[in-house]
Amino acid sequence: MKNRFPFITSAFIGITMFLQIYPTEEATVINTYNEYEMSESSPIVNLEIRQESDFFDWGSQVRYSINVNDETDGDSRYNEINSNEVFLEIDFVPEPVNSHDIQSVYERINGDKNLKGLTLLGRSSCFGCHADKSNMIGPSFSEVAGSYTNNTANINKLVNSIQHGSAGVWGQAEMPANPDISEEEASDIAGYILKQGAQEYSRISPGLEGVIRIMDKPPDIDEGTYILTASYTSSAQKRGEDTVVLKIK
């Protein structure tokens, strides 16, 4: 485990893929997960931020890259890791956060998320048509969460759509069937989508690199904190994480 946080500042509204890697210091790993084991054989995940600054300005941009090395699956530097299974989770806290409180804040935000659902999303074709907060061919997670209350009945409806497909629910686009996804797996995916989509200040993006656009300054907030968590779950069901704390004002 790493022992220090580089306090850099950032935030986001949209994420755009970027094709170059920029080095920075390593960041502290926060072990918050609920489905997969972390151990000495877990994947080594490194989240790198190009800029180093005490604070970043509202409305600016931050470039990032993620490197993954796993003893079973290989190394992302050699294209041995499926980039759709590597995630950047971005959580905004509308206030400064003390370094001693980072883990408790992260757990408060993410502790009840079904991370198994996230892993299954990455191993499916879902991100080909859906994104967390932005529209693609299919509805975003936030749109789905806005239309379906997170309860058993609605999860079962989404499970049926995931497994058997649907048409006419979200315009003219048809959702293909996914017969290879079991009912239990579809339930985990649906539960994650409803939970993640309902969180206004949380965003997730698959991929090994990109650009985070810092959100415009809200009228009632002077300073904030972003918790960026890169993660990868190996084929051996070992989860690796790397977390960087960003400050913005």
Side-chain angles (χ1 to χ4, degrees):
M1 178 178 292
K2 304 164 193 171
N3 298 315
R4 52 199 171 86
F5 284 96
F7 278 83
I8 311 164
T9 303
S10 177
F12 68 93
I13 285 292
I15 293 179
T16 306
M17 297 314 295
F18 194 81
L19 301 178
Q20 200 167 4
I21 294 175
Y22 297 87
T24 189
E25 293 183 312
E26 293 182 342
T28 300
V29 174
I30 296 179
N31 297 333
T32 49
Y33 49 90
N34 58 7
E35 292 290 343
Y36 294 97
E37 178 185 358
M38 289 186 72
S39 66
E40 292 183 358
S41 60
S42 294
I44 298 171
V45 178
N46 289 304
L47 171 59
E48 299 179 347
I49 305 296
R50 177 186 181 186
Q51 299 93 327
E52 293 185 24
S53 174
D54 292 335
F55 291 91
F56 273 41
D57 297 328
W58 299 99
S60 60
Q61 295 184 345
V62 177
R63 300 182 181 99
Y64 72 88
S65 64
I66 304 169
N67 297 317
V68 177
N69 181 274
D70 180 69
E71 63 181 21
T72 301
D73 298 344
D75 196 312
S76 60
R77 294 174 299 177
Y78 308 123
N79 297 319
E80 295 171 338
I81 300 295
N82 185 347
S83 62
N84 283 336
E85 297 180 25
V86 180
F87 296 100
L88 182 69
E89 301 169 70
I90 310 172
D91 296 301
F92 173 65
V93 182
E95 60 187 25
V97 176
N98 187 288
S99 60
H100 300 293
D101 298 327
I102 294 300
Q103 184 165 347
S104 62
V105 171
Y106 183 93
E107 290 176 347
R108 173 168 55 83
I109 296 171
N110 296 294
D112 60 346
K113 285 184 183 177
N114 185 344
L115 296 183
K116 182 179 179 182
L118 174 60
T119 300
L120 292 168
L121 275 167
R123 293 174 180 173
S124 72
S125 60
C126 295
F127 281 109
C129 297
H130 303 274
D132 183 8
K133 297 297 190 291
S134 58
N135 295 328
M136 295 178 64
I137 298 173
S140 66
F141 296 171
S142 58
E143 285 184 305
V144 175
S147 298
Y148 294 91
T149 303
N150 193 348
N151 57 41
T152 301
N154 284 332
I155 287 178
N156 288 338
K157 290 181 182 178
L158 294 177
V159 166
N160 183 70
S161 294
I162 292 170
Q163 288 189 301
H164 304 293
S166 65
V169 180
W170 300 95
Q172 296 181 347
E174 294 187 12
M175 179 170 176
N178 295 275
D180 295 335
I181 297 178
S182 70
E183 183 174 343
E184 179 181 355
E185 291 170 337
S187 180
D188 286 326
I189 290 173
Y192 181 85
I193 288 173
L194 292 180
K195 178 67 177 179
Q196 175 63 29
Q199 293 190 295
E200 179 182 1
Y201 289 131
S202 178
R203 184 181 295 265
I204 187 164
S205 179
L208 291 166
E209 51 199 359
V211 173
I212 301 166
R213 183 187 180 277
I214 297 173
M215 67 193 300
D216 295 330
K217 182 184 179 303
D220 56 344
I221 298 175
D222 292 324
E223 296 183 22
T225 304
Y226 276 75
I227 303 175
L228 308 185
T229 303
S231 66
Y232 174 73
T233 300
S234 71
S235 58
Q237 311 309 325
K238 304 286 187 178
R239 178 177 170 87
E241 297 177 346
D242 194 12
T243 297
V244 173
V245 176
L246 311 174
K247 288 186 175 181
I248 177 174
K249 71 175 182 179

